[in-house]
Amino acid sequence: MTSSSSSSKAAKRLAHTYPEGLRADALMEEDVAWSHEIDGERDGDQFDRSDRAALRRVAGLSTELEDVTEVEYRQLRLERVVLVGVWTSGTVQDAENSLAELAALAETAGAVVLDGVIQRRDKPDAATYIGSGKADELRGIVLETGADTVICDGELSPGQLIHLEDVVKVKVIDRTALILDIFAQHAKSREGKAQVALAQMQYMLPRLRGWGQSLSRQMGGGSGGLATRGPGETKIETDRRRIREKMAKMRREIGDMKTGREIKRQERRRNRVPSVAIAGYTNAGKSSLLNRLTGAGVLVENALFATLDPTVRRAETPSGRLYTLADTVGFVRHLPHHLVEAFRSTMEEVGDSDLILHVVDGSHPDPEEQLAAVREVIRDVGAVDVPEIVVINKADAADPLVLQRLLRVEKHSIAVSARTGRGIAQLLALIDNELPRPSVQIEALVPYTHGKLVARAHTEGEVISEEHTAEGTLLKALVHEELAADLAPYMPAPAL
């Protein structure tokens, strides 16, 4: 027997917890406007900010004329949505946090959240996701609020989408489609757009639907005649075939882009430049941390998945060692499988790195859940053996007790604030200690005609001391085996 709680009670509970209708502010305590005077020094030039702001839609600005007899009637407004979640396990607080995150995703995509309901079930209903009775109640909420879209907190099968739409009589989408929509809005690079397009086609393929005449048969030949008679191909089958062809082409294009990225990685490996990857939950402050450490000027916005395209910047440790710092796409719980596959070439930056900075939002209601969700994706891309530093960001806004708990549980962790700069110096020192070091200590007298070897010792190794003499440069350093072999002719012979 499936146990359930009424939708109205769940809505009252959510309204009490998040009185503004599950708006994204529930997850964004630090919603402070970005300004050049305050944040410019930390975040750089923010080249993408004007483009993003130019496309921002604002709710509550009505230009609709009352006298519609004189003009063509038009209405432009944000989508008005009702959220639906199925609570199958965990506490009620977990279910409410998940629905609050769905509200933040909906607002990031450009919707206005009107209401949210949670259905308590052992498992989602195979036909309508929430059961026929609750689907009828949901129809009443849609009519009462005037919503035009229902968003479900889970991935729905094609049958569930169709059956639920038949009951509520408005558009129904799931969490996966919502995240794909956000990615499509925010992808800017050629590779990012191709990856999002591939993920959308993978999601769309089993969910194509025919409407009326679009199911009519297509003739086999160009002008009819012999060997063209028969059932032919329906329009929906034609669409599926074309989507599969586009997907194959898109995979080839992404493969070519992956080759270019791999060549750059090989060049960094050849030059013995260590790499550090920043990974973490969306809106945890990864781009802010990158800007604080390198002055990269990456877009920083208090929104989910504000930046998608990876950014690689050159950085230097306090001891003078060079390394690269890569900002990766943000993760989220129940990240769609299509996205993990499509963005696999981008996420390989994490797997090929020498160190992962795992950024977590210390002010989030459930930071442990963020850590678990990100580590699940890291396992999927095969980066389980890469050393990890847990960076607890937003320490200036976090509860001190939560910080203490995280620092106690996560043994290799540090609390920082990318906004104020707290803990950044300690983080740089920690990165310096964790990066792999050259293993061979040498002492060589390098002639001035071979200054390139000295330069390589500075870029590829760690110079302990350097002295200029009449015969050449007396160098003491830690270097890799290849450079040690090149410096061997200039090392003193071992004493007998």
Side-chain angles (χ1 to χ4, degrees), residues 241-408:
R241 176 168 49 80
R242 288 174 177 169
I243 287 177
R244 290 191 186 99
E245 291 172 354
K246 287 183 179 179
M247 287 171 61
K249 180 183 177 182
M250 202 71 69
R251 287 193 179 99
R252 288 194 297 269
E253 292 179 359
I254 293 175
D256 294 340
M257 298 176 202
K258 177 183 177 180
T259 302
R261 189 184 295 276
E262 180 61 30
I263 290 173
K264 293 179 181 178
R265 280 201 289 260
Q266 289 176 356
E267 183 68 17
R268 292 199 295 267
R269 292 193 203 104
R270 189 178 67 81
N271 292 327
R272 297 289 184 176
V273 179
S275 62
V276 178
I278 302 177
Y281 213 77
T282 180
N283 205 40
K286 298 182 299 300
S287 297
S288 297
L289 185 64
L290 179 69
N291 289 340
R292 172 66 73 174
L293 294 175
T294 67
V298 176
L299 173 71
V300 172
E301 190 171 22
N302 200 8
L304 304 184
F305 300 113
T307 52
L308 294 182
D309 303 315
T311 303
V312 180
R313 290 291 183 268
R314 186 171 172 172
E316 188 174 325
T317 65
S319 63
R321 301 170 62 199
L322 295 177
Y323 65 97
T324 59
L325 197 61
D327 182 19
T328 60
V329 62
F331 303 145
V332 71
R333 75 181 88 189
H334 311 307
L335 189 68
H337 180 70
H338 313 294
L339 280 175
V340 176
E341 287 300 317
F343 278 78
R344 184 169 293 277
S345 61
T346 301
M347 293 176 180
E348 284 175 357
E349 292 286 350
V350 178
D352 290 340
S353 63
D354 297 299
L355 179 66
I356 296 175
L357 298 185
H358 185 165
V359 184
V360 60
D361 183 357
S363 63
H364 189 270
D366 191 1
E368 288 87 357
E369 180 68 24
Q370 286 193 352
L371 288 167
V374 173
R375 282 170 176 157
E376 181 179 351
V377 180
I378 288 176
R379 282 194 299 271
D380 289 342
V381 298
V384 290
D385 297 327
V386 182
E388 175 192 72
I389 297 176
V390 176
V391 182
I392 308 168
N393 194 22
K394 305 184 184 180
D396 54 320
D399 185 342
L401 294 177
V402 174
L403 286 181
Q404 291 176 13
R405 185 181 76 233
L406 289 173
L407 290 170
R408 183 176 63 254

Side-chain angles (χ1 to χ4, degrees), residues 99-116:
L99 209 61
E101 183 176 87
L102 187 67
L105 289 168
E107 291 200 341
T108 301
V112 176
V113 179
L114 302 177
D115 205 348

